Structures are given as structure tokens and as C-alpha cells.
Amino acid sequence: MTVEVSSLKELVEQASGTSGSPDTQEYFVNMGPQHPSTHGVLRLVLKLDGERVLRCIPVLGYIHRSIEKISEHMNYMNCVHLTDRMDYLSSIMNNWAVAKAVEEAAGIEVNDRIQYIRTIFAELERIQSHQLWWGVLGMDLGAFTPFLYGIRDREVLNDVMEETIGARLTMNYVLPGGLMADIHPNFVNRVKEFIKYFRPKLDEYDDLLTGNVIIQERLRNVGVLSAQTAVQYGATGPVLRGSGVAFDLRKDHPYGVYDQADFEVPVGTVGDSWDRYWVRVEEMRQSLRIVEQLLDNIPPGDYLVKKLNSKIKLPEGRYYSQLETARGILGVFITSDKKDEPYRLHYRSPNFNNLWCLEPMIKGDYIASLIGAMSSLDLVIPDIDR
């Protein structure tokens, strides 16, 4: 990006100049792309004065795979599976975003059974994503036990979802016109068992991490992002709601069968790392609530629209659709020239905008605070690079 290049050039020029008084200790540090707290493929160029962060410039491009360009040479059914490799912790929701865009453009109507199953799996995956985030945040701040707890509980849910989908991470289940397969005969009972198992585990999470004084000191009043700044940067999901903006597509622009579920949208008050932490923990409770309401009401019907041509052709034009993933709004922009392949396909990644909130959040704070603030953003870098 132009902003990125000019920012780096500016940093280099400042580094080679003589700016700064003798009282400062300004220098530059590369954090990543092999730093454990940047999770492998994110580079941050930090301008520091001692241990205080004066500037934080994200540098991307270390895991770019040309997913959008490759999709332009595949039909609408086939390109769905590439979305699993973007935000792989929201893979089913990514599938759904593309399917939703194609269905709206092509005028394809799916039955209530498909919508119920899609909604249930989306919320189960939201829980699964937040379980991993919770454990990783603890590990980033030096507490390894939460990671073991999060993975322990996530594996229980993985077992349930794998029985229907056949995968545990890059799940490919939703497609235009329906689902890859119907739910497993044991699915409803196993999800009920999981809800019974996991609800008290959330109280255990609170005992272990939420109520931990050290964790609170590392997160409270750290990485503050005001509601105005969050909106200006285009932040969405828990990052936006943590800043006090009660915007959630599941409530404000319902899709699937979210309008038939009674649930609350957790919203922060301060906009700090603690609020973003609290919002996600509460979202797990609300997701359990949504799934519990829908589970016994799945109507009968087919899992795929009958007689649907695998080579769907959209009318000429431009189409946009969006939904709420575990990290925020994923938008799908399609330009069609009447062929069975998109002329242009672009994804509006929630992670990209959320990442750039890091600079105003951390300016003037310490490097140690940067770790907690970045972890509270719950970034998945392959969703940005694509």
C-alpha cells in the first residue's frame, strides 16, 4: 500500500537524520515477522524512545497467496474453498459470506433448514475461534495454562464439527445453494452435550484469567481505542464493540435465522484491551445461548437446492454482501460479466482495518503494553494478505 511504503520511507529518513534532542534514545526495532507474539507473519516497524513506542507501522505481504486473483479463474462453487485459507478460524463464516453474495445476486432461495444449520455452525465456530484467542492471549502475556485450557475445550467442539464436516480447521461446508452435506445424526445430541460441558468452563476461564490481577494490570487502560477512532479506522466486530459502539450485523442487519434468536450484544465502555477481552468472553456465552435456542427447532428439508447448476452465472453487474465473522465484518464484492467465473472478486477483511487501529492505540505506551494490545485485536494475518 502507498500509506505503508511512505510511512516506512519516512521512518528511514528520520532514522538517518539528526532529529531528536540529546535527552531522547530514539531507535528502530523490527518486531516480527518471526516474533512469537506477532504469530509468525506480521512485521511491525517500531520507533522507540527507550521502551516507549513513538510509532508502530505494520508491514504486510509475508503470506500473500493471490486468493482473489485465483478465484477469478474458478467458478462460484469452486472458489468458495479458498476462503477457508483466509481467516481460517472463521472458515465456515467465510464460506457463508461468498454463498450469501452469490445467492443474493443470482436470486437463489434456500430453505429454513439450510439457514438454521448455517447459523448454528457459524456460532459454534465463533466459540471455537474465541476459545483459541483466549488461550493465545494468556500465552502472549506469559500464562501458558490458559492456552492448554482453551485447546482442551476447543478439541471437544472440534470432534463434534468434524463428524459432520470432516475437517477441524479449514472447514469447507457452506456453498451457494446450501451445504456440502446434511448434519450427522448425532449432531444435535453432541452439541447439547458440549453446551452442558462448556458453560461451566467459562466460569473456569473467569477464575483462571479474567479475575487474575496481573492480567487485569496488563489489559486495563492499555491500548485505549475511542469509539470515534474505531469508526474512523473502519474497525468492526469485538474491536468496534469493545470501544462502545453497539453495531453487530447479526442484530442490525439480520441474516440466516438470527432474527429468531434472543441474544445480547456485549459492548465495552472504555475501549481498552480489557473491554475487548471482556466482549469476546461474553460473546462465547451469547453464542451458546443462540445455539441452544435453535438446536431443537431445525426444520426438515433438503440440505441443498435441487437442480442447481454447478456453474452458476450471475447477471452482469456489481454485487456486495457481508456478514459478521468472529473478527468483524467480512464483505464480498463481486463484479460479474455474465460468465460462470467472477470478472473481479474482492474481500473486505475485518482484520485489515482492525490491525491499523494498533498505531493510535499504542502510541506513547510501552513495548510490553503492545503485546497485550495486539493480542486483544485477535488478528489472523492470512486474512489480510490473502
Side-chain angles (χ1 to χ4, degrees), residues 273-327:
S273 298
W274 175 259
D275 275 350
R276 291 186 286 274
Y277 170 89
W278 178 83
V279 164
R280 288 194 184 88
V281 173
E282 287 302 309
E283 280 192 358
M284 286 192 274
R285 290 190 169 94
Q286 295 303 318
S287 291
L288 287 176
R289 186 175 165 188
I290 293 170
V291 172
E292 204 167 32
Q293 294 174 60
L294 301 179
L295 208 55
D296 287 327
N297 297 313
I298 301 176
D302 296 323
Y303 65 86
L304 188 64
V305 175
K306 291 183 177 179
K307 297 180 181 179
L308 184 65
N309 192 331
S310 61
K311 293 190 175 182
I312 301 170
K313 294 183 180 181
L314 304 186
E316 185 175 0
R318 297 179 178 181
Y319 306 95
Y320 180 80
S321 186
Q322 57 186 3
L323 54 70
E324 191 85 28
T325 72
R327 262 146 289 277

Side-chain angles (χ1 to χ4, degrees), residues 326-362:
R327 262 146 289 277
I329 294 176
L330 173 65
V332 181
F333 184 87
I334 299 173
T335 300
S336 171
D337 57 356
K338 296 184 179 181
K339 297 179 181 177
D340 61 342
E341 301 170 350
Y343 176 79
R344 180 74 174 93
L345 179 63
H346 175 66
Y347 296 108
R348 186 267 180 208
S349 158
N351 285 280
F352 180 81
N353 296 72
N354 291 349
L355 167 63
W356 283 94
C357 293
L358 189 60
E359 184 170 11
M361 282 166 46
I362 204 62

Side-chain angles (χ1 to χ4, degrees), residues 29 92-93 170 247 259 311:
V29 170
I92 295 175
M93 290 177 267
T170 52
F247 183 77
D259 57 343
K311 293 190 175 182

Side-chain angles (χ1 to χ4, degrees), residues 80 83-84 90-103 110 114-123 126 173-176 178-179 250 255-258 321-324 330 332:
V80 171
T83 63
D84 315 343
S90 296
S91 53
I92 295 175
M93 290 177 267
N94 294 348
N95 296 165
W96 192 0
V98 176
K100 184 169 174 286
V102 173
E103 289 164 0
V110 297
I114 293 171
Q115 297 287 32
Y116 265 79
I117 295 173
R118 285 177 174 181
T119 306
I120 290 170
F121 268 96
E123 291 310 302
R126 195 180 311 276
Y173 186 54
V174 179
L175 75 165
L179 308 165
R250 297 174 297 167
Y255 54 94
V257 290
Y258 284 111
S321 186
Q322 57 186 3
L323 54 70
E324 191 85 28
L330 173 65
V332 181

Side-chain angles (χ1 to χ4, degrees), residues 112-142:
D112 287 343
R113 180 177 182 82
I114 293 171
Q115 297 287 32
Y116 265 79
I117 295 173
R118 285 177 174 181
T119 306
I120 290 170
F121 268 96
E123 291 310 302
L124 290 176
E125 191 172 44
R126 195 180 311 276
I127 295 170
Q128 188 188 60
S129 173
H130 288 353
Q131 285 172 331
L132 182 60
W133 158 81
W134 180 83
V136 168
L137 180 137
M139 187 167 62
D140 282 348
L141 297 180

Side-chain angles (χ1 to χ4, degrees), residues 197-256:
Y197 163 83
F198 186 58
R199 186 164 275 140
K201 297 299 180 186
L202 283 170
D203 297 330
E204 195 174 88
Y205 286 12
D206 287 338
D207 291 339
L208 182 64
L209 209 58
T210 310
N212 188 295
V213 176
I214 298 174
I215 294 296
Q216 292 194 22
E217 289 293 327
R218 294 289 301 275
L219 298 179
R220 287 191 183 275
N221 298 313
V222 172
V224 177
L225 181 69
S226 69
Q228 182 180 4
T229 304
V231 172
Q232 288 174 341
Y233 274 72
T236 56
V239 175
L240 178 65
R241 294 189 286 274
S243 293
V245 182
F247 183 77
D248 189 323
L249 287 180
R250 297 174 297 167
K251 277 282 190 183
D252 296 283
H253 302 282
Y255 54 94

